[in-house]
Amino acid sequence: MDAIFEAAEHIRQARYVTVLTGAGVSAESGVPTFRASDGLWEGHHIEDVATPEGFRRNPHLVWEFYNERRNKLKQVRPNPGHYALVELEKRFAERFTLVTQNVDGLHQQAGSNTVAELHGSLYRTRCTGCKDLRIHDLEPLGELPKCQKCDRLLRPDIVWFREELPKEVWQRAYLAAQACDVFLLIGTSAVVYPAAGLAQIARNRGPAGDEGATIIEFNLEETAVSNSVDLGVYGPSGVTLPKLIEQLSMNPS
Ligand code: BV8
Ligand code: ZN
């Protein structure tokens, strides 16, 4: 049976669906993926631009990196994969949670309402002094943006490596992984923790004896977790996700 047909069968019978997306869901929108740049990210070392030590060492470089990525967002738009996930949310309403590792805001732009942003957002800054949180459009923020309230240095409201994830967002994602009976892993290499651990939580959910969630992976290729998912749907998510929605609407449950 074709994988998309099988995935639709599982989703049709699901009571609660949780989705975890990664950079792959935005690839067809023109947002470079993280891993494809083999550890170099847009020409920078992760250590220099995506860790608190890197920011302490050279905030100029970090702000140049983030201003460049924010500027690039002006040219990108959600792709059919993002819109397919909006349809899926409409179908399941409050029995659906979309968790993303992405910081590009494209799920919200496409119309998704329940988006748990595990790693923060390029649209927000946080003050390193008074913690003031601000939402910005994509205007340049300057080389070393300062807080309007206390004049201290702003940082991107992004979770860097070796930083804790925001407690309440992680809690929401954790509960959604436990509550679901179908868990979709979409466009993620599943190497970054604790995000990647949500699939294990979904598989081991519920009291002993209660069987775990069905894990379905949507990716271009196999990943670090492919041998422990129940079903793999391989191809560009901008193609496979709309096909899934089409399949679901053929014989709605
Ligand atoms: C934490 C924000 C507790 C930045 C990101 C050793 C020492 C210290 C820490 C660790 C360690 N070992 C592990 C850790 C934990 C570490 C970690 O997991 N490291 C990995 C690299 C081994 N995690 C952390 O540090 C986390 N915090 O653990 O705190 C702690 C505290 C102190 C000390 C220890 C632990 C914080 C992690 C968050 C980091 N921030 N983003 C920014 O974005 O600017 S994560 C960064 O990686 C990206 O944002 C993205 O979220 C993630 C990359 O993952 P993916 O989204 O999966 O993207 P990727 O490119 O990898 O894959 C794309 C996939 O899509 C591929 O599979 C590809 O095939 C597929 N694809 C491509 N095109 C398509 C497609 N699929 C479908 N269709 C297509 N068209
Ligand atoms: Zn401040």
Side-chain angles (χ1 to χ4, degrees):
M1 185 191 333
D2 145 83
I4 290 183
F5 181 85
E6 209 178 322
E9 278 310 297
H10 285 295
I11 293 172
R12 200 170 280 119
Q13 285 144 33
R15 201 182 31 73
Y16 195 115
V17 173
T18 295
V19 176
L20 172 67
T21 61
V25 82
S26 297
E28 291 156 80
S29 297
V31 181
T33 58
F34 165 82
R35 191 201 57 149
S37 46
D38 51 66
L40 261 190
W41 204 356
E42 309 269 293
H44 295 288
H45 286 285
I46 307 293
E47 273 307 318
D48 297 336
V49 293
T51 62
E53 297 77 19
F55 186 63
R56 256 194 297 282
R57 227 181 4 256
N58 186 346
H60 263 280
L61 175 68
V62 174
W63 268 112
E64 187 188 322
F65 175 60
Y66 282 96
N67 275 324
E68 197 179 300
R69 287 175 64 198
R70 292 173 64 251
N71 193 36
K72 276 190 183 152
L73 280 190
K74 289 176 187 160
Q75 282 95 31
V76 307
R77 294 283 170 274
N79 67 62
H82 292 105
Y83 291 111
L85 290 173
V86 176
E87 290 312 308
L88 198 59
E89 179 186 74
K90 283 184 189 143
R91 189 186 179 87
F92 283 90
E94 76 294 339
R95 293 173 297 116
F96 177 88
T97 299
L98 172 58
V99 182
T100 189
Q101 301 171 84
N102 300 340
V103 295
D104 58 29
L106 287 176
H107 285 303
Q108 293 91 327
Q109 252 185 65
S112 289
N113 296 312
T114 62
V115 186
E117 292 178 314
L118 290 182
H119 296 158
S121 169
L122 286 169
Y123 285 88
R124 288 195 305 269
T125 57
R126 190 167 80 231
C127 174
T128 56
C130 68
K131 307 281 175 264
D132 181 48
L133 260 185
R134 287 284 157 131
I135 296 176
H136 307 265
D137 277 331
L138 294 172
E139 77 284 0
L141 292 175
E143 282 180 23
L144 286 176
K146 296 287 176 17
C147 174
Q148 284 170 2
K149 287 166 78 174
C150 75
D151 204 33
R152 295 284 297 278
L153 184 59
L154 296 182
R155 61 166 281 174
D157 185 34
I158 290 244
V159 180
W160 284 325
F161 286 97
R162 291 191 291 282
E163 287 192 317
E164 299 285 342
L165 273 58
K167 292 255 173 307
E168 71 296 334
V169 176
W170 174 249
Q171 187 61 11
R172 250 178 80 202
Y174 190 94
L175 292 175
Q178 284 203 311
C180 70
D181 37 11
V182 170
F183 186 89
L184 306 184
L185 268 170
I186 303 175
T188 180
S189 58
V191 296
V192 174
Y193 281 81
L198 289 169
Q200 278 113 313
I201 293 163
R203 196 179 13 266
N204 310 334
R205 73 185 184 115
D210 172 4
E211 62 167 32
T214 302
I215 318 284
I216 306 177
E217 174 176 56
F218 284 76
N219 201 303
L220 276 186
E221 61 192 15
E222 301 225 329
T223 65
V225 294
S226 295
N227 52 14
S228 57
V229 302
D230 298 290
L231 176 65
V233 178
Y234 296 108
S237 50
V239 173
T240 54
L241 290 175
K243 276 195 183 145
L244 174 75
I245 299 301
E246 209 181 297
Q247 188 64 46
L248 276 174
S249 39
M250 269 179 203
N251 38 352
S253 48

